[in-house]
Amino acid sequence: MSSPEDPRAEQGGSPRTPPAAQPDAAPAAGPAAAPAASAAGPAASAATGAAPADAATGPDGAPRRGLAAVLQEEQFSVRDAMGGPRGILESVLPTLLFLVLYVITRDVKVSAIAAVAVVVIALLARLVARQSLSSVLGGLFGVVIGAVWAIRTGEGSDLFAPGLVINAVTLVILLISLLARRPLLGLVISLLDGRVADWAEDPDARRVYTRATAVFIGLYAAKLLVQLPLYLAGAVAALGVAKLVMGLPLFALAAWIVWLMHRALLVRREARALRSQEPGAAPPGPSPSA
């Protein structure tokens, strides 16, 4: 899923009834990191609802951001979902700079090179700080391909062509996973949060992550429906604005909806685990299918 990069909370704790989403919740600072969950203990975590001890940080010890972060939080943070201030800047600045320069100069070459330069600087800054490069590398690949394409054709809209291709491919993959009854969000979330490592055997979890996958299908379909006609019309300024508006803000909205689904599932699973410990209760197992 495109989305800017790319994959945090300060605490895991056992889930309680999910509180109302609070966009102003204080986020943890740090770069994006690889997915979470220690391999030891997913089964116990799933039964008790407790997050793995290292779920809040990645391999480099830096707090997580993006979907990997918000899945561990008991209060939703828009800033974490959008990658924190640095992630937001790295995601928005190349497109914004290209758009501003193109509107002022109408020079595709100057605008495209400036966009590439911004991503390269961000990459070098992370290298110097020995931070994760995953989010920046994805952005660099897309911007460089788009810049080369735009310079060769002389069409500013071609800078956005790789993003449209990525959106289309992601949409197809999500649809295939849904048709195969193995929703992609279930796989992704199980890798990010070991508490639901057994999601494929739990009908309740399969239903939740099927709906979560449908949310992201809607996100990528909306992007294509709005941006593809603008690309075909060569409306560079409108396409750039649409990309900015439908990028991180819409991803944060989709992440919030998925977070609500995920937290509600964890609460139900914990309730079932507690009931199974009562005298005379049946052994714990997956929830019955509806």
Side-chain angles (χ1 to χ4, degrees), residues 6 8 51 134 146 158 250:
D6 320 194
R8 315 226 189 241
S134 56
D158 283 334
L250 276 191

Side-chain angles (χ1 to χ4, degrees), residues 37 126 237 240 250 268 283:
R126 284 185 176 268
L250 276 191
R268 293 195 298 273

